[in-house]
């Protein structure tokens, strides 16, 4: 795939100024060549248009439409998905610039995932056709294959979780396979290759990150106050636990000295997964998307975090063990195809133990993140697409509680999902984190 290190722009056409600010004609030709796996075509027309619906938290989304004439046959209409950084004046863009996460995702697509490969199992990754630093990432339009995101307010059922576990395991297995090859042939690890990409982003130690964490804690406090089934004393207990665990969350998310680490996605929630269904609603496939927050940590972090970000407690309690076995069996098959033994690379007993330990971290991680992930489209538009000052106030300032309270009072699924995790924190989160 192409990575253009410059963002040189052609003079905008009067009929379509925006398209030439992101892509040039030669870019589009390159995209189509990769899509059609050849150059026997002529481009008749192309356009790039922003999504009408809400964009992502950390980017703007577009559809690219291309009409081509194929040599020896008729015309063909092609469609692609594209993402760009948010507006330059937005707090989101400041976040991306600080951690260079947009360009990090470009490296993931153009280097990391190319080295990993996708394996022989069901497809779990979209095709990437072109990347331009600081400007645009062009991917296949998975919706054309029938892939859609799941409603984030509807907790995943067992089937959605199982497909997610298979996709996650496929990704992690490719990391383990490359890591094993590096260890055996070069005495190196995958971290030696890509450690520079794997720093903490969401819960770092700089002042802005500390302010964001403090705002998140205040948001959780607001949610705790609204849980009617807890007494005032019990609410205080949970608040104290949240404060203590949040204060060491950065350390809890560091690479493990006890368990095998892999490259983890670390942002496995509904908006970063796409599912394909048949006419009866049966799931046929699952894609992982958006690799801006990758980290180096035990695979249990992805496996357990995704359950706490996407399911209700009944589903977690009922299917936790069986879903972990699906993950591990998928891993076993993928490693065996490369002549590796899962019991040497990621033994079941060790993996299961690491998942049990990850539950406590997942609880606090979910509480810190669900309050933003589950915002309504109206709130997302109002804050993330509106005034930068208002967004900064809710992300890093003193307005988080106001936003969270309004969401809890007006959106029942928002309140219910967070309240469930709060109750679980009361029932099973220890007063003190493990000694780090």
């Amino acid at each position: 795939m192409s990575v253009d290190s410059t963002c040189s722009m052609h003079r905008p056409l009067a009929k379509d100024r925006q398209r030439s600010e992101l892509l040039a004609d030669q870019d589009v030709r390159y995209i189509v060549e990769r899509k059609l796996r050849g150059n026997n075509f002529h481009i008749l027309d192309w356009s790039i248009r922003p999504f009408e619906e809400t964009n992502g938290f950390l980017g703007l989304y577009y559809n690219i439409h291309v009409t081509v004439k194929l040599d020896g046959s008729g015309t063909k209409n092609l469609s692609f998905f594209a993402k760009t950084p948010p507006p330059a004046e937005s707090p989101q863009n400041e976040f991306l610039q600080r951690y260079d996460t947009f360009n990090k995702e470009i490296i993931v697509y153009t280097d990391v995932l190319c080295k990993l490969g996708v394996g022989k199992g069901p497809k779990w990754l979209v095709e990437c056709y072109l990347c331009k630093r600081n400007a645009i990432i062009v991917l296949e339009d998975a919706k054309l294959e029938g892939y859609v995101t799941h409603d984030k307010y509807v907790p995943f059922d067992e089937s959605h979780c199982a497909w997610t576990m298979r996709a996650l395991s496929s990704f992690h297995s490719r990391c383990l396979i490359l890591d094993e090859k590096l260890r055996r042939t070069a005495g190196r690890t995958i971290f030696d290759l890509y450690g520079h990409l794997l720093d903490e982003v969401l819960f770092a130690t700089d002042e802005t990150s500390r302010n964001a964490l403090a705002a998140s804690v205040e948001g959780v406090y607001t949610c705790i106050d609204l849980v009617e089934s807890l007494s005032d004393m019990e609410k205080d207990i949970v608040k104290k636990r949240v404060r203590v665990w949040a204060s060491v969350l950065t350390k809890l998310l560091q690479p493990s000295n006890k368990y095998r680490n892999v490259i983890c996605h670390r942002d496995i929630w509904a908006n970063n997964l796409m599912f394909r269904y048949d006419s009866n609603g049966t799931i046929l496939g699952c894609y992982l998307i958006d690799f801006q927050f990758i980290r180096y940590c035990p695979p249990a972090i992805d496996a357990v975090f995704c359950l706490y970000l996407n399911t209700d407690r009944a589903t977690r309690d009922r299917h936790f063990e069986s879903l972990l076995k699906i993950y591990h069996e998928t891993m076993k098959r993928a490693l065996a195809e490369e002549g590796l033994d899962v019991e040497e690379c990621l033994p079941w007993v060790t993996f299961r133990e690491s998942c049990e330990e990850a539950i406590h971290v997942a609880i606090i991680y979910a509480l810190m993140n669900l309050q933003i992930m589950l915002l309504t489209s109206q709130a997302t538009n109002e804050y993330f697409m509106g005034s930068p000052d208002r967004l900064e106030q809710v992300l890093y300032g003193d307005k988080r509680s106001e936003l969270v309270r309004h969401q809890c009072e007006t959106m029942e699924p928002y309140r219910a999902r967070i309240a469930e995790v709060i109750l679980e924190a009361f029932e099973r989160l220890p007063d003190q984190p493990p000694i780090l």
Side-chain angles (χ1 to χ4, degrees):
M1 65 198 68
S2 173
V3 183
D4 190 336
S5 62
T6 69
C7 297
S8 59
M9 306 304 176
H10 287 228
R11 183 177 299 278
L13 300 173
K15 68 175 184 178
D16 194 354
R17 180 177 301 273
Q18 185 173 40
R19 77 178 192 176
S20 59
E21 293 175 350
L22 295 172
L23 293 171
D25 289 342
Q26 60 265 33
D27 295 325
V28 178
R29 180 164 187 84
Y30 179 84
I31 293 167
V32 175
E33 285 179 353
R34 287 185 54 78
K35 173 67 177 179
L36 298 181
R37 303 183 186 280
N39 56 11
N40 297 321
F41 62 88
H42 299 282
I43 295 177
L44 301 178
D45 192 23
W46 68 273
S47 65
I48 179 168
R49 295 285 185 268
F51 276 26
E52 294 182 359
E53 63 264 30
T54 302
N55 285 282
F57 291 121
L58 290 175
L60 302 176
Y61 299 156
Y62 298 82
N63 281 128
I64 301 171
H65 297 287
V66 187
T67 302
V68 301
K69 179 175 175 55
L70 304 176
D71 290 356
S73 60
T75 62
K76 186 178 183 68
N77 293 317
L78 303 174
S79 181
F80 304 90
F81 170 86
K83 62 189 297 187
T84 68
E89 68 279 4
S90 67
Q92 303 103 297
N93 192 67
E94 188 274 333
F95 178 90
L96 291 181
Q97 293 296 324
R98 181 157 29 105
Y99 297 109
D100 203 28
T101 53
F102 187 83
N103 291 326
K104 181 169 79 171
E105 185 171 24
I106 285 178
I107 298 174
V108 171
Y109 277 116
T110 60
D111 185 349
V112 179
L113 293 172
C114 293
K115 280 193 174 67
L116 295 182
V118 295
K120 300 177 182 179
K123 187 179 176 184
W124 53 272
L125 180 69
V126 298
E127 297 284 343
C128 180
Y129 296 116
L130 179 128
C131 299
K132 300 174 74 172
R133 285 181 57 82
N134 300 312
I136 194 168
I137 297 172
V138 180
L139 306 166
E140 70 173 294
D141 188 350
K143 289 185 178 180
L144 296 179
E145 300 179 52
Y147 283 85
V148 295
T149 54
H150 187 275
D151 185 345
K152 66 182 181 181
Y153 293 114
V154 178
F156 283 14
D157 59 15
E158 180 185 9
S159 182
H160 285 87
C161 291
W163 275 95
T164 301
M165 287 294 173
R166 294 185 189 104
L168 263 182
S169 185
S170 296
F171 171 42
H172 292 165
S173 71
R174 302 311 302 175
C175 297
L176 275 176
I177 290 165
L178 177 58
D179 193 59
E180 283 293 318
K181 290 179 179 178
L182 289 169
R183 290 170 185 264
R184 298 180 185 193
T185 62
R188 305 176 70 199
T189 70
I190 202 169
F191 187 81
D192 293 325
L193 280 185
Y194 298 118
H196 61 290
L197 301 175
L198 302 172
D199 291 335
E200 178 61 41
V201 173
L202 283 181
F203 299 101
T205 57
D206 60 279
E207 182 179 359
T208 302
S209 295
R210 291 196 300 270
N211 291 339
L213 181 64
S216 297
V217 170
E218 289 299 321
V220 178
Y221 287 176
T222 300
C223 294
I224 292 171
D225 286 335
L226 297 174
V227 178
E228 297 180 354
S229 59
L230 293 177
S231 68
D232 289 343
M233 181 180 296
E234 291 168 337
K235 291 176 182 177
D236 288 340
I237 291 173
V238 181
K239 287 180 181 179
K240 182 178 179 181
R241 290 176 184 169
V242 167
R243 181 174 68 253
V244 172
W245 280 79
S247 69
V248 296
L249 183 55
T250 300
K251 293 182 179 180
L252 293 170
L253 295 173
Q254 289 178 348
S256 175
N257 294 320
K258 180 179 180 181
Y259 299 112
R260 183 84 178 257
N261 298 292
V262 300
I263 296 178
C264 283
H265 186 286
R266 252 289 300 279
D267 199 23
I268 298 294
W269 68 292
N271 281 18
N272 290 335
L273 295 161
M274 298 186 77
F275 298 94
R276 183 164 67 92
Y277 306 86
D278 67 13
S279 58
N280 296 318
T282 301
I283 304 174
L284 302 175
C286 174
Y287 285 166
L288 308 180
I289 59 175
D290 200 337
F291 291 86
Q292 294 183 98
F293 294 155
I294 61 168
R295 286 282 280 130
Y296 190 63
C297 49
I301 292 295
D302 266 352
V304 179
F305 279 25
C306 83
L307 295 179
Y308 276 82
L309 294 176
N310 296 295
T311 67
D312 56 28
R313 187 172 181 182
T315 299
R316 291 193 294 273
D317 288 349
R318 186 178 305 118
H319 302 295
F320 190 79
E321 187 82 9
S322 62
L323 290 171
L324 296 185
K325 287 182 178 178
I326 288 172
Y327 172 98
H328 199 258
E329 283 298 314
T330 304
M331 176 72 69
K332 179 180 179 179
R333 289 192 296 271
L335 295 184
E337 290 172 355
E338 301 287 341
L340 298 173
D341 184 354
V342 72
E343 288 302 313
E344 293 181 2
C345 301
L346 189 69
W348 163 252
V349 172
T350 304
F351 173 66
R352 182 63 181 84
E353 177 186 332
S354 67
C355 288
E356 194 65 33
E357 291 184 13
I359 289 175
H360 295 151
V361 189
I363 289 173
I364 196 69
Y365 188 87
L367 290 176
M368 295 295 105
N369 286 281
L370 285 176
Q371 54 188 283
I372 295 296
M373 289 176 172
L374 296 181
L375 289 177
T376 61
S377 295
Q378 180 181 352
T380 302
N381 280 326
E382 180 180 350
Y383 288 94
F384 284 81
M385 307 302 162
S387 165
D389 290 340
R390 292 196 69 194
L391 180 58
E392 286 191 357
Q393 289 173 345
V394 299
L395 288 183
Y396 314 122
D398 58 1
K399 297 296 183 181
R400 178 71 68 89
S401 292
E402 178 183 315
L403 170 63
V404 168
R405 178 176 294 277
H406 181 263
Q407 293 291 290
C408 284
E409 292 175 346
T410 60
M411 189 66 180
E412 174 59 21
Y414 181 101
R415 185 204 62 76
R417 283 276 292 282
I418 297 176
E420 263 202 338
V421 185
I422 289 171
L423 290 174
E424 191 165 354
F426 173 68
E427 294 174 15
R428 66 190 304 179
L429 192 65
D431 289 336
Q432 296 292 328
I435 297 175
L436 299 173

